[in-house]
Amino acid sequence: MDVIKSQQISSRPIEKVIVHPLVLLSIVDNYNRVAKDTRRRVVGVLLGSSFRGTVDVTNSYAVPFEEDEKDLSIWFLDHNYHESMFSMFKRINAKEHVVGWYSTGPKLRENDLDIHRLLHNYVTNPVLVIIDVQPKEMGIPTKAYYDVEEVKENATQKSQKVFVHVPSEIAAHEVEEIGVEHLLRDVKDTTISTLATEVAGKLTALKGLGARLQEIRDYLDLIVDGKIPLNHEILYHLQDVFNLLPNLNVSELIKAFAVKTNDMMLVIYLSSLIRSVIALHNLINNKMLNKEHEKAEDAKPTTVPPVSGS
């Protein structure tokens, strides 16, 4: 079976990719302008810096891109446009250089390796970041990859490039955090209470956790069935996850969870009760105030206009 040498993966030059919120907003805006409600994807260039295996993506711009949906080997990327755009961005910030490219995928495609090979003309080790502009589950909407040489077990076969996944995360500078907070404040629905928002957030997080556990189970089932080769590095990480899980069979821990849950439910119950009493009190005050206004209106003397004789 064809495998990748473990030494190549363990000595990979890129360990982490950091994507800034400005990049995500720019990509989503480009997608909504160009490819919304279509099956097309948008492609662009990522700018930033790379230091000690960490790629910091701080800016991006879109590049005209077309591909044949029936034959993915036919595609066009305007590299002349990219070169002119990069020269202008370089005048603004000389520290930013090309670190890779992005795609709205939402998954890898057959021609991605060919596009990646083109980016090698501008950067030694580019990264590919796939942005899910319409996420259907909880989690980070970015997946990062870089290419390595696949070594065949059979020496007669020619080696080829393949994508290897690399961890990605969302991070921001202080100025970006302030802008994101103002943006979220504007799009927040004020009719929904804070408690409902927190409960909805916890439910979404639990759904995301369930999806990840199902993905782990499917992966292990594929290994047991012999459909994919065993990867000891992934199994080591899974073993670390299971070792960090608390022992829920301890009676003290169960009692602590029960006490904490009861305390939280008591606060929620009292808060709801107080909120209802205050609303009822305001309703009674409003009715009393309306009655006083009606009595004041009735007590006013009615003046009859004099009738002039003929």
Side-chain angles (χ1 to χ4, degrees):
M1 183 176 290
D2 300 338
V3 298
I4 303 172
K5 291 291 185 180
S6 60
Q7 290 84 356
Q8 285 183 315
I9 298 179
S10 60
S11 60
R12 58 191 180 192
I14 299 176
E15 299 293 334
K16 182 173 62 174
V17 175
I18 300 175
V19 182
H20 287 248
L22 178 63
V23 178
L24 297 178
L25 292 174
S26 175
I27 295 173
V28 172
D29 178 69
N30 180 33
Y31 176 81
N32 289 331
R33 293 173 182 268
V34 177
K36 188 177 182 181
D37 299 328
T38 65
R39 298 182 60 184
R40 294 176 53 195
R41 61 171 175 165
V42 294
V43 171
V45 175
L46 299 174
L47 303 177
S49 60
S50 179
F51 181 71
R52 291 185 179 179
T54 300
V55 178
D56 193 18
V57 183
T58 56
N59 209 340
S60 67
Y61 56 85
V63 176
F65 175 78
E66 295 290 341
E67 61 182 343
D68 189 350
E69 295 184 358
K70 297 181 180 179
D71 187 2
L72 294 179
S73 62
I74 302 175
W75 55 274
F76 168 75
L77 189 143
D78 194 346
H79 58 88
N80 293 324
Y81 177 86
H82 151 63
E83 291 173 0
S84 61
M85 285 291 293
F86 177 64
S87 64
M88 289 187 289
F89 271 88
K90 196 172 182 179
R91 295 175 185 174
I92 300 173
N93 190 351
K95 295 182 180 180
E96 291 181 343
H97 58 83
V98 177
V99 295
W101 63 290
Y102 72 80
S103 167
T104 56
K107 295 182 179 179
L108 288 172
R109 300 195 183 186
E110 297 178 6
N111 55 6
D112 285 347
L113 277 173
D114 298 330
I115 303 173
H116 204 79
R117 194 177 298 113
L118 176 64
L119 265 293
H120 273 282
N121 298 328
Y122 305 99
V123 58
T124 305
N125 194 10
V127 296
L128 164 61
V129 179
I130 294 181
I131 310 295
D132 190 0
V133 294
Q134 295 176 335
K136 298 180 180 178
E137 59 183 19
M138 184 68 177
I140 298 177
T142 60
K143 292 182 180 179
Y145 304 89
Y146 73 99
D147 60 339
V148 296
E149 195 79 24
E150 184 184 39
V151 180
K152 303 289 185 178
E153 289 292 330
N154 189 353
T156 59
Q157 295 181 352
K158 186 179 179 180
S159 62
Q160 63 181 1
K161 292 280 189 178
V162 295
F163 280 122
V164 176
H165 182 266
V166 61
S168 61
E169 64 181 45
I170 308 297
H173 298 303
E174 184 177 357
V175 178
E176 291 178 308
E177 290 179 357
I178 296 173
V180 171
E181 288 178 0
H182 281 282
L183 179 64
L184 293 176
R185 194 176 304 165
D186 292 337
V187 301
K188 184 179 179 182
D189 191 353
T190 56
T191 61
I192 302 176
S193 64
T194 306
L195 178 60
T197 305
E198 292 181 358
V199 172
K202 291 185 182 297
L203 287 175
T204 308
L206 290 174
K207 289 180 181 178
L209 177 61
R212 298 295 180 272
L213 293 176
Q214 184 63 38
E215 187 176 353
I216 293 174
R217 180 176 179 176
D218 295 340
Y219 172 76
L220 295 177
D221 289 338
L222 291 175
I223 293 178
V224 172
D225 296 338
K227 296 181 180 179
I228 59 175
L230 183 66
N231 190 319
H232 295 285
E233 185 178 359
I234 296 178
L235 293 182
Y236 291 153
H237 288 308
L238 290 178
Q239 188 62 50
D240 291 339
V241 171
F242 295 139
N243 291 337
L244 292 173
L245 291 175
N247 185 7
L248 299 178
N249 295 324
V250 180
S251 59
E252 290 81 0
L253 183 61
I254 297 174
K255 182 179 179 181
F257 270 113
V259 171
K260 182 68 174 178
T261 304
N262 290 337
D263 291 343
M264 292 179 62
M265 295 302 294
L266 178 61
V267 173
I268 293 174
Y269 173 73
L270 290 176
S271 301
S272 301
L273 189 61
I274 294 172
R275 188 175 181 180
S276 301
V277 171
I278 293 175
L280 183 61
H281 178 72
N282 292 334
L283 178 63
I284 294 174
N285 285 341
N286 190 25
K287 284 188 172 295
M288 293 176 62
L289 187 61
N290 289 336
K291 284 187 177 181
E292 291 178 359
H293 282 303
E294 290 178 359
K295 289 180 180 179
E297 290 291 335
D298 295 338
K300 289 182 179 180
T302 57
T303 59
V304 179
V307 180
S308 59
S310 56

